[in-house]
Amino acid sequence: MRDDLLMDRVVDLDEAAALLMERIACWRSAGLEVGEMTWRDWEAEWPQPLETDRARVNDPDSLGLVISGPAEAALWVVVFRGGWADVDFFVDLDDAGSLPASDIESAADFAARMDRWIVRVFGALGSLR
């Protein structure tokens, strides 16, 4: 087992997943496709597999989600319990890249940022219908 000091526990990933679940129905009703959440286990042997079943992950260190929308727009997010996320997006050939996602202070902070990232990539959800 690796030293837990290498990854602080800033974001409760189970709480973050619950906050995402509260939003998924709204995103889907707005026409977005939401993939399954993926979990990575801190204690798993390298290369650490991604799991879609939370019960198979003893000590989660990341939570990922892919969201797709109209005209091939997409948002890829992986939040790490250490308080940062990898956030990549594609709107069109002239609007793609990564979004800043450091210093995340809590699951609630992550969820609020997620709301902003959704609007940044897909626009106001009411306009997708």
Side-chain angles (χ1 to χ4, degrees), residues 9 11-12 20 23 26-27 33-34 43-45 60 62-64 66 68 73 79 81 89 98 102 104 121 123-124 126:
R9 295 172 189 268
V11 177
D12 180 325
L20 291 177
R23 291 159 167 76
C26 176
W27 297 340
E33 292 181 30
V34 182
E43 296 178 356
E45 293 290 323
S62 72
L63 170 65
V66 176
S68 304
V79 62
R81 71 181 182 198
F89 72 98
S98 298
S102 60
I104 298 171
V121 175

Side-chain angles (χ1 to χ4, degrees), residues 1-7 9 41-46 48 58-61 81:
M1 182 158 74
R2 293 183 274 176
D3 184 359
D4 265 340
L5 296 176
L6 296 176
M7 172 93 67
R9 295 172 189 268
D41 193 331
W42 177 257
E43 296 178 356
E45 293 290 323
W46 185 261
Q48 296 160 306
N58 184 48
D59 188 17
D61 75 331
R81 71 181 182 198

Side-chain angles (χ1 to χ4, degrees), residues 7-120:
M7 172 93 67
D8 291 335
R9 295 172 189 268
V10 176
V11 177
D12 180 325
L13 296 178
D14 288 308
E15 183 181 348
L19 292 170
L20 291 177
M21 289 301 294
E22 292 175 0
R23 291 159 167 76
I24 287 175
C26 176
W27 297 340
R28 286 184 173 146
S29 70
L32 300 178
E33 292 181 30
V34 182
E36 287 188 79
M37 288 185 209
T38 57
W39 301 84
R40 188 176 74 176
D41 193 331
W42 177 257
E43 296 178 356
E45 293 290 323
W46 185 261
Q48 296 160 306
L50 298 179
E51 301 285 351
T52 56
D53 181 357
R54 171 62 179 91
R56 295 178 51 93
V57 176
N58 184 48
D59 188 17
D61 75 331
S62 72
L63 170 65
L65 189 63
V66 176
I67 303 169
S68 304
E72 298 184 31
L75 177 65
W76 299 269
V77 178
V78 178
V79 62
F80 295 87
R81 71 181 182 198
W84 72 91
D86 293 336
V87 182
D88 296 309
F89 72 98
F90 177 85
V91 177
D92 59 38
L93 292 177
D94 296 320
D95 190 10
S98 298
L99 298 172
S102 60
D103 301 322
I104 298 171
E105 297 177 357
S106 66
D109 181 22
F110 167 70
R113 292 177 191 219
M114 191 73 183
D115 293 338
R116 292 191 300 270
W117 298 329
I118 289 285
V119 171
R120 165 64 180 89

